[in-house]
């Protein structure tokens, strides 16, 4: 299928994608729902006002004049599919309705360069998983040795912790270096300091649509019915703060200072052509975690640009398909005890690493806890992120003639507030 718009084969946003986001024109106006198409944003509120959604199950409810996607997400899969079909038809090269109406096109399309992207959802709850076996093995090897790399529960259930929803920010937001307690290896007591081991974590996340009632688990066979779409996630981490604080209850201040997500939410319908098998699991999961639908072949890339660099440098290339526990398993496990998920909740994958060292999804692994600093052509080295560094993550699925991409998930590190004190 082709659009009447001229779209580069390298664009993240062909007609086969159609991701949703919240934007407002830089020239002024309230936030509203849009869809990315090529270099433009299609304003769905304009299409709604023009009556193009009058035959849908949510007609005339101002679904697209909202500050978030939550109301739309809560409508469920039938409404999502109906909306996507309508938009796809209007953008089709063979459909004259929008193609031949210059006045309507002028109102409906906003150049992406002229749009400010906002958080796509009002995120009520945020859960971060630990679903890459390679990442867990690498981290466990560093801290416990190769013989005890994976904890006893890892191959039996998707490990996770509850994160902080209020500090999730949209791509482009600057990240302030956090401060907290650190215990240097040669010290007898902790000090209070800005983190000296700031890290990124390459992740992907999915937004819940619909939701389940308290006490009613979501069966794994129905899990994808509750997944609205996916975004890129950078779960920034302060490794030295984490090392001191995480026992016995896990991450706290080392994680809750910021998490960055990409602004466009790519639907599972757009990703369906890229479905693939998940890694083999042994031992066999318990019945409620058995899933035959697999995962998605999504290529991932991390680039770093220091304040002295003229352009970004690739430091990692990974793939979403490497995850040991897939999204359906994560969601089924999350709700098996009756936990209720709500529209707009975000569930993230955890750091995504592959077997090759060039596919590791964190500085902790890439520089192996500082033992093998990254070397750059300009002579700089990095074991951890420094002030002025910009981390950019991208993700895409590729087919002949088009790609389905996620845009960018980017953040620049700024100095900590105040001076470090001991």
């Amino acid at each position: 299928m082709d659009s009447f718009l001229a779209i580069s084969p390298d664009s993240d946003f062909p007609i086969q994608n159609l991701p949703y986001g919240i934007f407002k024109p830089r020239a002024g106006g309230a936030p509203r729902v849009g869809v990315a198409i090529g270099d433009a944003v299609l304003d769905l509120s304009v299409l709604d006002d023009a009556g193009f959604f009058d035959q849908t199950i949510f007609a005339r409810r101002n679904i697209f004049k909202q500050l978030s996607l939550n109301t739309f997400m809560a409508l469920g899969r039938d409404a999502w599919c109906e909306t996507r079909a309508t938009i796809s038809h209007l953008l089709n090269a063979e459909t004259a309705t929008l193609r031949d109406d210059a006045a309507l096109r002028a109102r409906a399309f906003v150049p992406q360069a002229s749009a400010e992207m906002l958080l796509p959802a009002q995120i009520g709850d945020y859960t971060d998983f630990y679903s890459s076996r390679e990442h867990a093995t690498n981290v466990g090897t560093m801290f416990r040795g190769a013989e005890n790399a994976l904890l006893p529960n890892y191959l039996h259930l998707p490990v996770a912790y509850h994160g902080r929803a209020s500090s999730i920010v949209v791509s482009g937001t600057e990240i302030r270096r956090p401060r907290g307690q650190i215990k240097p290896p040669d010290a007898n007591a902790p000090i209070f300091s800005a983190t000296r081991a700031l890290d990124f974590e390459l992740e992907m996340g999915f937004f819940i649509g619909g939701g389940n009632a308290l006490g009613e688990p979501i069966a794994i066979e129905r899990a994808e019915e509750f997944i609205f779409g996916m975004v890129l996630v950078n779960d920034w981490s302060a490794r030295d703060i984490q090392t001191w604080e995480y026992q016995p209850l896990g991450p706290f201040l080392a994680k809750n200072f910021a998490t960055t997500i990409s602004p466009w939410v790519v639907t599972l319908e757009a990703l369906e052509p890229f479905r693939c098998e998940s890694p083999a699991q042994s031992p066999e999961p318990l019945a409620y975690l058995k899933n035959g639908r697999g995962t998605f072949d999504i290529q991932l890339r991390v680039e770093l640009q220091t304040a002295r660099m003229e352009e970004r440098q690739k430091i990692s290339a990974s793939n979403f398909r490497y995850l040991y526990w897939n999204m359906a398993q994560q969601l089924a496990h999350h709700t098996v005890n009756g936990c209720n998920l709500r529209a707009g909740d975000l569930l993230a994958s955890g750091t995504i690493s592959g077997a090759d060292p060039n596919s590791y999804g964190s500085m902790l692994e890439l520089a192996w806890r500082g033992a093998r600093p990254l070397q750059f052509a300009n002579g700089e080295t990095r074991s951890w992120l420094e002030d002025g560094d910009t981390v950019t993550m991208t993700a895409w699925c590729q087919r002949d003639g088009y790609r389905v991409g996620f845009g960018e998930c980017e953040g620049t590190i700024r100095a900590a507030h105040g001076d470090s004190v001991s």
Side-chain angles (χ1 to χ4, degrees):
M1 179 188 299
D2 293 321
S3 170
F4 64 80
L5 298 170
I7 299 174
S8 167
D10 296 328
S11 173
D12 274 354
F13 307 121
I15 193 171
Q16 292 86 352
N17 192 349
L18 305 180
Y20 295 95
I22 298 295
F23 80 101
K24 63 179 180 180
R26 296 188 187 279
R32 72 287 301 267
V33 178
V35 160
I37 179 72
D39 295 327
V41 180
L42 178 60
D43 187 339
L44 297 191
S45 70
V46 171
L47 298 187
D48 199 12
D49 287 344
F52 292 114
F53 297 108
D54 281 358
Q55 303 306 310
T56 64
I57 58 179
F58 57 87
R60 295 301 176 185
R61 290 170 57 183
N62 290 321
I63 294 295
F64 302 120
K65 294 180 180 178
Q66 304 284 333
L67 302 177
S68 73
L69 289 168
N70 291 54
T71 303
F72 181 50
M73 290 176 176
L75 294 176
R77 184 160 297 279
D78 288 346
W80 310 337
C81 293
E82 198 173 21
T83 302
R84 179 179 171 84
T86 299
I87 297 167
S88 182
H89 173 72
L90 289 171
L91 291 172
N92 193 304
E94 303 301 319
T95 304
T97 310
L98 187 56
R99 182 194 67 197
D100 295 346
D101 190 333
L104 179 59
R105 288 202 316 274
R107 298 196 308 274
F109 290 105
V110 177
Q112 288 194 31
S114 301
E116 178 186 354
M117 299 306 301
L118 308 176
L119 275 176
Q122 182 179 350
I123 303 169
D125 282 299
Y126 164 49
T127 300
D128 195 19
F129 283 86
Y130 191 54
S131 291
S132 166
R133 180 174 182 171
E134 290 79 6
H135 173 68
T137 299
N138 288 337
V139 174
T141 299
M142 288 180 214
F143 289 91
R144 293 185 299 274
E147 66 282 359
N148 296 308
L150 291 181
L151 293 174
N153 65 350
Y154 190 85
L155 299 178
H156 294 274
L157 58 84
V159 176
Y161 74 94
H162 286 287
R164 182 72 184 176
S166 66
S167 54
I168 297 175
V169 297
V170 73
S171 176
T173 304
E174 294 185 339
I175 305 301
R176 184 71 67 175
R177 181 177 294 273
R179 301 165 71 194
Q181 285 195 27
I182 298 168
K183 186 178 180 298
D186 56 350
N188 293 322
I191 62 173
F192 182 67
S193 170
T195 179
R196 303 166 186 181
L198 186 57
D199 201 357
F200 68 85
E201 292 192 12
L202 171 63
E203 306 190 18
M204 298 202 73
F206 61 93
F207 279 108
I208 296 297
N212 59 307
L214 182 65
E216 297 183 5
I218 296 174
I220 196 164
E221 295 81 10
R222 297 191 59 211
E224 290 189 4
E225 298 175 25
F226 295 84
I227 299 176
F228 175 76
M230 297 180 65
V231 292
L232 267 164
V233 177
N234 183 348
D235 184 34
W236 305 95
S237 299
R239 299 299 187 185
D240 43 7
I241 297 174
Q242 183 178 2
T243 300
W244 174 239
E245 76 175 4
Y246 84 100
Q247 300 185 61
L249 294 182
F252 184 33
L253 300 186
K255 298 278 192 176
N256 69 4
F257 61 95
T259 300
T260 301
I261 67 172
S262 53
W264 294 109
V265 186
V266 178
T267 66
L268 295 196
E269 280 190 88
L271 295 173
E272 187 59 37
F274 307 96
R275 191 178 288 275
C276 62
E277 291 185 2
S278 294
Q281 294 183 315
S282 180
E284 187 176 276
L286 295 176
Y288 79 94
L289 287 172
K290 289 182 181 178
N291 173 50
R293 296 224 50 186
T295 185
F296 299 97
D297 181 8
I298 306 173
Q299 299 181 55
L300 304 170
R301 182 183 178 104
V302 183
E303 295 175 313
L304 176 67
Q305 184 172 4
T306 75
R308 290 171 50 195
M309 290 179 181
E310 294 184 358
E311 58 185 22
R312 305 187 312 211
Q313 304 291 309
K314 183 182 77 171
I315 59 173
S316 178
S318 192
N319 197 298
F320 183 70
R321 70 187 301 173
Y322 297 156
L323 289 175
Y324 188 80
W325 297 103
N326 62 41
M327 291 188 295
Q329 292 172 316
Q330 292 165 357
L331 193 153
H333 184 66
H334 201 307
T335 65
V336 72
N337 65 343
C339 174
N340 56 320
L341 298 177
R342 297 170 294 186
D345 285 354
L346 178 66
L347 279 64
S349 63
T351 304
I352 305 170
S353 296
D356 189 295
N358 293 320
S359 68
Y360 293 167
S362 66
M363 290 288 283
L364 175 66
E365 297 164 273
L366 290 168
W368 206 254
R369 208 182 177 190
R372 300 194 292 263
L374 299 184
Q375 308 283 332
F376 296 103
N378 67 352
E380 288 186 274
T381 63
R382 285 291 185 277
S383 293
W384 307 106
L385 299 175
E386 298 185 8
D387 294 346
D389 288 353
T390 298
V391 177
T392 305
M393 298 176 177
T394 50
W396 69 95
C397 306
Q398 189 69 53
R399 296 198 78 170
D400 292 341
Y402 76 94
R403 68 164 52 191
V404 168
F406 289 75
E408 294 184 344
C409 179
E410 183 176 283
T412 300
I413 306 302
R414 296 302 179 208
H417 280 298
D419 296 326
S420 298
V421 295
S422 59

